[in-house]
């Protein structure tokens, strides 16, 4: 008919699935199913406590089916609500009861993302192999065969900047802090992924994953202090306690400040999703009570170690850097360098954001671990390639650029998060939008620290390797 009608689901069919323990006389419930129906119930005579429905009668084993007449909502007409329960024995064991919700329907997409990322890695690996095996080998052989000083002066390329390549960069203190923080973050992510991969962290318990990450972050402070002070000592710094304090407080304080402001907004909305004040105090106690002392212990161990020796001596007067080509401009090369690491995690990032913001289970930690390994290799290789081109252009300021080259992928991550917000989410309240971008800013900042540190250490090992391979008078 042309008239609009409303119908109501007034009957629920519950199916309770249980699994019998073969070793004991007991059973465990391993699943529920609920099916709603709209049924126009019928009965004879006047309604009373003993009235039996003709459409739903347990004594006659008359169950409701989808072929029943639906219950229309009309004024002054009564609606009878009913339900039925059926117990079914199931072959699903208690340990596998969550598998119903963890069916992998998009594994082909994940494999496509893995293959896509692997192609990127193979391309970069080919470039690095070409540089290391052909170009560098030829350069080193040629440099070592030079007999006269005049011939050496005629040479160009990366050997010419050997007297400046290990000169301490501007804002070296800040670089030490960021490298130490990146090592702490890398250790946390690596151990968390291994635990998740081995099945210690259940995807059904999201709080357990976050708790594990926080505790690991706290205990990884030992490596943060050690790494930052070792690098600081290489730069011939003397105030190692100041660096230790910055390492212990700068990154956590920034993250905690953003988190506190966002949580205050949730408090203002009187939402039950706000982190309780007691939990905030517990986080501060973990930070000051465990993380900070561990950073100092790591720093103390690092300061006792002998200083890392540079493979070549640093000249007293800085060498003048020649004018660079447009494509070797720092801003351009840094932004270009961040595209490939972001591309390696692009597909997986969609599923992670969907898990966080659309409340879906993320459980394929095997795929995630493979993508993480690909990310490490991509960050290392793209930084080495661009660092080599930079040194060949006689620009020895590689310290910060190696960190920022792979770290710039965090910028693309944040831009993608903004794209995801406007295309996939239906958020209209201003507070919810601020929360989304606030939390994604924390994620992007953490990603910057992680990828930047990977790129830095790859470049650090690369430069020490090539300059220790040539004979320099």
């Amino acid at each position: 008919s042309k008239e609009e009608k409303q119908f109501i689901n007034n009957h629920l069919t519950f199916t309770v699935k249980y699994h019998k323990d073969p070793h004991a006389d007991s059973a465990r419930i391993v699943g529920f199913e609920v099916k709603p129906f709209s049924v126009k119930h019928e009965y004879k005579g006047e309604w009373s406590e003993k009235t039996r429905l003709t459409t739903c009668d347990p004594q006659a084993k008359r169950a409701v089916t989808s072929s029943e007449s639906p219950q229309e909502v009309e004024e002054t007409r009564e609606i009878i609500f009913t339900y039925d329960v059926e117990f079914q024995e199931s072959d699903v064991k208690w340990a596998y009861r969550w598998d119903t919700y963890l069916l992998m329907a998009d594994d082909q997409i994940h494999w496509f993302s893995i293959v896509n990322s692997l192609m990127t890695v193979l391309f970069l690996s080919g470039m690095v192999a070409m540089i290391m095996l052909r170009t560098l080998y030829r350069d080193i052989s040629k440099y070592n065969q030079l007999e006269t000083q005049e011939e050496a002066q005629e040479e160009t390329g990366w050997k010419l900047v050997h007297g400046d390549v290990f000169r301490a960069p501007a804002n070296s203190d800040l670089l030490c802090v960021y490298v130490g923080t990146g090592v702490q973050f890398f250790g946390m992510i690596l151990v968390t992924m291994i635990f998740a991969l081995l099945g210690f962290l259940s995807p059904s318990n999201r709080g357990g994953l976050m708790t594990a990450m926080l505790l690991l972050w706290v205990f990884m402070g030992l490596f943060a202090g050690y790494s930052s002070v070792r690098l600081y000592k290489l730069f011939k710094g003397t105030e190692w306690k100041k660096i230790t304090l910055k390492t212990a407080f700068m990154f956590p304080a920034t993250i905690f400040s953003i988190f506190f402001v966002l949580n205050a907004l949730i408090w203002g909305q009187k939402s039950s999703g706000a982190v309780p004040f007691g939990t905030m105090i517990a986080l501060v106690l973990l930070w000051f009570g465990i993380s900070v002392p561990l950073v100092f212990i790591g720093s103390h161990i690092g300061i006792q170690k002998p200083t890392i020796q540079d493979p070549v001596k640093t000249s007293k007067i800085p060498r003048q850097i020649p004018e660079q080509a447009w494509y070797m401009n720092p801003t351009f090369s840094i932004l270009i360098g961040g595209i490939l690491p972001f591309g390696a995690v692009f597909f997986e990032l969609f599923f992670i954001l969907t898990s966080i913001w659309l409340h879906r289970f993320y459980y394929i930690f095997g795929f995630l671990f493979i993508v993480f390994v690909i990310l490490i290799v991509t960050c290392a290789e793209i930084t080495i390639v661009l660092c080599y081109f930079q040194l060949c252009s006689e620009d020895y300021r590689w310290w910060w650029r190696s960190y920022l080259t792979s770290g710039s992928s965090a910028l693309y991550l944040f831009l993608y998060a903004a794209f995801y917000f406007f295309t996939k989410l239906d958020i209209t309240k201003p507070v919810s939008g601020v929360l989304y971008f606030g939390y994604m800013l924390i994620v992007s900042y953490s990603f910057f620290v992680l990828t930047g540190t990977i790129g830095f250490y790859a470049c650090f090992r690369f430069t020490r390797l090539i300059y220790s391979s040539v004979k320099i008078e």
Side-chain angles (χ1 to χ4, degrees):
S1 65
K2 295 181 180 179
E3 295 180 7
E4 187 176 286
K5 295 183 179 181
Q6 286 80 32
F7 298 90
I8 186 170
N9 286 323
N10 58 329
H11 180 88
L12 296 176
T13 296
F14 294 92
T15 303
V16 183
K17 298 184 177 183
Y18 64 93
H19 179 76
K20 283 187 176 181
D21 189 346
H23 304 292
D25 188 20
S26 61
R28 277 177 156 174
I29 295 174
V30 293
F32 293 96
E33 287 182 4
V34 185
K35 293 181 181 177
F37 292 98
S38 180
V39 183
K40 186 178 181 181
H41 285 302
E42 298 175 355
Y43 57 91
K44 296 178 181 180
E46 295 292 325
W47 178 264
S48 67
E49 293 181 2
K50 296 181 179 180
T51 299
R52 291 173 58 179
L53 299 172
T54 57
T55 50
C56 181
D57 190 352
Q59 295 179 7
K61 295 185 178 181
R62 174 76 164 78
V64 172
T65 62
S66 57
S67 61
E68 307 284 350
S69 299
Q71 176 66 60
E72 185 180 351
V73 180
E74 294 178 316
E75 191 175 356
T76 70
R77 175 172 290 188
E78 66 179 3
I79 298 176
I80 300 173
F81 290 89
T82 56
Y83 69 93
D84 64 73
V85 183
E86 180 186 4
F87 287 83
Q88 286 183 359
E89 188 173 355
S90 173
D91 294 330
V92 178
K93 295 181 180 179
W94 169 260
Y96 301 103
R97 66 195 185 282
W98 278 97
D99 290 1
T100 304
Y101 304 98
L102 305 182
L103 293 173
M104 188 182 295
D106 47 17
D107 55 334
Q108 290 184 343
I109 300 175
H110 284 279
W111 278 118
F112 176 74
S113 73
I114 296 291
V115 172
N116 174 68
S117 302
L118 280 174
M119 293 302 292
T120 304
V121 169
L122 288 174
F123 170 72
L124 283 173
S125 299
M127 289 190 67
V128 172
M130 184 180 67
I131 289 172
M132 297 293 286
L133 299 178
R134 293 188 59 188
T135 312
L136 267 177
Y137 182 77
R138 187 183 66 236
D139 287 349
I140 291 169
S141 299
K142 187 167 61 176
Y143 288 147
N144 289 339
Q145 288 171 3
L146 293 176
E147 296 179 356
T148 64
Q149 188 67 24
E150 288 76 12
E151 287 177 328
Q153 288 177 353
E154 292 174 3
E155 288 299 319
T156 58
W158 55 269
K159 188 186 175 186
L160 280 180
V161 294
H162 68 84
D164 300 275
V165 73
F166 293 108
R167 188 182 304 281
N171 298 316
S172 58
D173 292 7
L174 187 62
L175 180 63
C176 296
V177 172
Y178 269 112
V179 168
T181 303
V183 169
Q184 184 177 10
F185 205 84
F186 179 81
M188 178 197 75
I189 293 293
L190 182 64
V191 177
T192 302
M193 286 208 183
I194 291 173
F195 280 177
L197 193 63
L198 296 175
F200 292 124
L201 299 173
S202 172
S204 61
N205 185 7
R206 298 189 180 194
L209 185 67
M210 186 58 67
T211 303
M213 290 178 71
L214 283 172
L215 290 175
L216 285 169
W217 167 265
V218 167
F219 290 115
M220 289 295 167
L222 188 73
F223 299 98
Y226 179 83
S227 305
S228 59
V229 165
R230 288 286 284 161
L231 188 61
Y232 183 67
K233 199 174 178 182
L234 174 66
F235 294 147
K236 298 178 174 57
T238 55
E239 300 178 348
W240 66 274
K241 292 181 180 177
K242 185 174 73 172
I243 292 296
T244 306
L245 277 173
K246 286 182 178 179
T247 305
F249 286 100
M250 194 178 78
F251 180 81
T254 305
I255 298 297
F256 188 82
S257 300
I258 298 173
F259 178 72
F260 185 81
V261 171
L262 295 176
N263 203 55
L265 291 174
I266 305 177
W267 276 338
Q269 295 293 311
K270 298 180 180 179
S271 170
S272 60
V275 177
F277 187 74
T279 305
M280 301 286 278
I281 297 297
L283 289 174
V284 173
L285 290 175
L286 278 173
W287 178 13
F288 283 86
I290 301 178
S291 180
V292 174
L294 284 176
V295 172
F296 269 91
I297 292 172
S299 298
H300 183 71
I301 296 171
I303 206 69
Q304 301 298 324
K305 293 279 185 179
T307 306
I308 302 171
Q309 296 299 320
D310 293 328
V312 291
K313 292 182 180 180
T314 302
S315 60
K316 294 182 179 179
I317 302 173
R319 178 186 178 86
Q320 186 175 359
I321 300 172
E323 187 176 349
Q324 300 292 302
W326 65 269
Y327 52 84
M328 290 306 298
N329 179 275
T331 305
F332 180 78
S333 63
I334 286 170
L335 291 176
I336 289 296
I339 294 175
L340 287 177
F342 170 74
V345 299
F346 171 73
F347 283 99
E348 208 63 29
L349 186 62
F350 171 80
F351 295 104
I352 294 172
L353 289 178
T354 303
S355 171
I356 295 172
W357 298 107
L358 296 180
H359 302 288
R360 305 222 179 132
F361 286 108
Y362 189 89
Y363 55 92
I364 36 181
F365 293 109
F367 282 117
L368 189 61
F369 186 78
I370 295 172
V371 171
F372 181 62
V373 172
I374 291 173
L375 174 67
I376 294 172
V377 176
T378 308
C379 287
E381 290 182 341
I382 190 64
T383 309
I384 288 172
V385 169
L386 292 180
C387 178
Y388 176 74
F389 292 152
Q390 179 187 346
L391 293 175
C392 287
S393 301
E394 299 178 30
D395 186 353
Y396 53 82
R397 298 169 300 183
W398 63 273
W399 296 95
W400 270 110
R401 199 186 291 194
S402 65
Y403 197 98
L404 297 173
T405 295
S406 52
S408 64
S409 56
L411 173 64
Y412 297 104
L413 189 150
F414 189 79
L415 292 175
Y416 177 74
F419 172 78
Y420 185 88
F421 177 84
F422 291 110
T423 57
K424 300 294 181 182
L425 301 181
D426 187 19
I427 295 177
T428 54
K429 290 186 178 180
V431 173
S432 301
V434 171
L435 287 174
Y436 175 84
F437 283 103
Y439 284 124
M440 290 314 301
L441 180 63
I442 292 176
V443 171
S444 301
Y445 186 35
S446 304
F447 193 72
F448 165 75
V449 171
L450 173 69
T451 53
T453 302
I454 294 169
F456 171 82
Y457 271 114
C459 207
F460 183 70
R461 293 290 300 169
F462 172 74
T463 50
R464 294 182 66 81
L465 177 66
I466 63 173
Y467 282 99
S468 61
S469 301
V470 293
K471 297 175 184 176
I472 297 172
E473 298 297 331

